[in-house]
Amino acid sequence: MAQLVACSPNFSEGVREDVISAIADAMKETSNCWLLDANPDDKANRTVYTVVGQPDAVINAVITGAKVAKRLIDMEQQRGDHPRLGALDVCAFKPVKGVSKEACVECSRAFGQRLAMELGVPVYLYEMSSTQEHRKTLSQIRAGEYEGLPEKIVKPEWRPDFGPPKFVSSWGATVTGARCYSLNFNVNLLATKEQANRIALNIREEGRSPDKPGRLKAVKAQGRLIPERRMAQIAITVTDPETTPIHVVYEECLKDAKVCIQPS
């Protein structure tokens, strides 16, 4: 049986079309894998690519794309609405066919080790690939974002899993791991950014703090403003749709919106 994995590298560039295309073209050159999609977001200044193929080929493709990104993306200059830690911000491996979750963990570890060795950058493991509870989720690792990394990375509890325990200013750091398929969608609101973020904090599992968790398991959410459309938006990721179905998330957003947003 053919083995297929999917990988979704998120690169911190969503504005410059030449850079977005250069990274895509580099990944397309690898045999036995296919670039299915490149989805740029200029407000987030971020592009999510989708690569599917044989495990080793997918690793090779993303490494090739990362080498282009290292040459063309400078995190000291990068700005956007989306939280980010590095030029290749996060790279998740997911099983498609003939591959177990455990095999995807091994893929992420092999990828992280190669990325650190070949590019000389720090790499953190998350989700199924992480063995440390205090740095299991993406939000835990990305707390403080790129700007907080110089102080964070030198602490013993935040030593990278691979690569140098030092701040690489042009790159930042990369997070990789294995996880289940997730669902990403947005809920649009005629509201302010603050109102949208209030609802996001209410519903997301992480909530406002460890002492004030949100209502929905396996849900990540963030409120943001879409000024050109004169509306706000809740950007939502459901990391395990079996735990929390998408319709439940929408209904909870609707319930909170009726309370938080009063018609003028």
Side-chain angles (χ1 to χ4, degrees), residues 18 54 67 77 144 148-149 175 204 238 240:
D18 57 330
Q54 296 176 7
K67 289 178 178 178
Q77 308 299 321
L149 194 57
V175 183
R204 70 184 190 181
V238 182
D240 186 352

Side-chain angles (χ1 to χ4, degrees), residues 41 58 170 196 213 231:
D41 185 327
V58 169
S170 63
M231 67 181 188

Side-chain angles (χ1 to χ4, degrees), residues 29-43:
E29 293 176 0
T30 306
S31 58
N32 296 318
C33 75
W34 300 268
L35 176 65
L36 300 185
D37 184 47
N39 185 18
D41 185 327
D42 59 345
K43 297 299 179 185

Side-chain angles (χ1 to χ4, degrees), residues 5-260:
V5 299
C7 184
S8 51
N10 289 219
F11 287 93
S12 295
E13 177 56 65
V15 177
R16 296 178 294 166
E17 293 183 5
D18 57 330
V19 176
I20 296 167
S21 296
I23 294 171
D25 291 343
M27 291 193 287
K28 287 177 184 176
E29 293 176 0
T30 306
S31 58
N32 296 318
C33 75
W34 300 268
L35 176 65
L36 300 185
D37 184 47
N39 185 18
D41 185 327
D42 59 345
K43 297 299 179 185
N45 199 9
R46 182 183 191 86
T47 298
V48 180
Y49 299 82
T50 302
V51 183
V52 173
Q54 296 176 7
D56 288 344
V58 169
I59 292 172
N60 289 337
V62 182
I63 291 286
T64 303
K67 289 178 178 178
V68 173
K70 194 169 191 295
R71 179 167 50 87
L72 298 178
I73 297 175
D74 182 358
M75 286 302 294
E76 291 188 273
Q77 308 299 321
Q78 199 269 2
R79 300 291 184 273
D81 290 345
H82 199 287
R84 77 282 184 269
L85 197 63
L88 171 49
D89 187 49
V90 60
C91 184
F93 291 83
K94 295 156 280 190
V96 176
K97 180 181 179 183
V99 177
S100 65
K101 294 177 182 178
E102 291 74 19
C104 285
V105 169
E106 292 307 310
C107 279
S108 69
R109 290 181 173 272
F111 167 75
Q113 193 166 28
R114 276 192 58 188
L115 188 74
M117 182 176 63
E118 296 182 26
L119 275 69
V121 298
V123 178
Y124 291 96
L125 296 172
Y126 85 127
E127 294 289 351
M128 298 176 190
S129 304
S130 173
T131 59
Q132 303 182 63
E133 286 302 318
H134 74 282
R135 43 198 270 185
K136 196 86 171 174
T137 67
L138 183 57
S139 59
Q140 287 173 325
I141 298 170
R142 206 160 54 187
E145 297 190 41
Y146 168 82
E147 288 76 12
L149 194 57
E151 181 179 348
K152 184 176 185 177
I153 199 169
V154 297
K155 296 179 180 180
E157 65 269 28
W158 288 106
R159 184 182 180 89
D161 292 283
F162 304 108
K166 65 179 183 180
F167 182 55
V168 180
S169 61
S170 63
W171 182 267
T174 295
V175 183
T176 187
R179 62 172 175 79
C180 299
Y181 274 95
S182 60
L183 293 175
N184 299 282
F185 67 101
N186 301 319
V187 174
N188 297 330
L189 302 167
L190 293 176
T192 66
K193 177 182 176 181
E194 290 73 22
Q195 289 170 325
N197 203 48
R198 192 180 310 155
I199 296 171
L201 294 172
N202 289 345
I203 66 168
R204 70 184 190 181
E205 181 175 7
E206 186 182 20
R208 288 169 169 77
S209 69
D211 297 331
K212 297 180 179 179
R215 297 197 298 268
L216 301 179
K217 297 290 186 182
V219 172
K220 302 175 182 180
Q222 178 189 20
R224 60 187 183 184
L225 187 66
I226 312 295
E228 69 274 15
R229 299 182 186 175
R230 297 182 180 180
M231 67 181 188
Q233 191 175 78
I234 307 172
I236 298 169
T237 299
V238 182
T239 58
D240 186 352
E242 291 186 4
T243 298
T244 305
I246 189 171
H247 74 275
V248 171
V249 182
Y250 176 77
E251 288 166 1
E252 289 297 307
C253 289
L254 183 61
K255 181 175 72 176
D256 278 23
K258 290 178 179 179
V259 175
C260 295

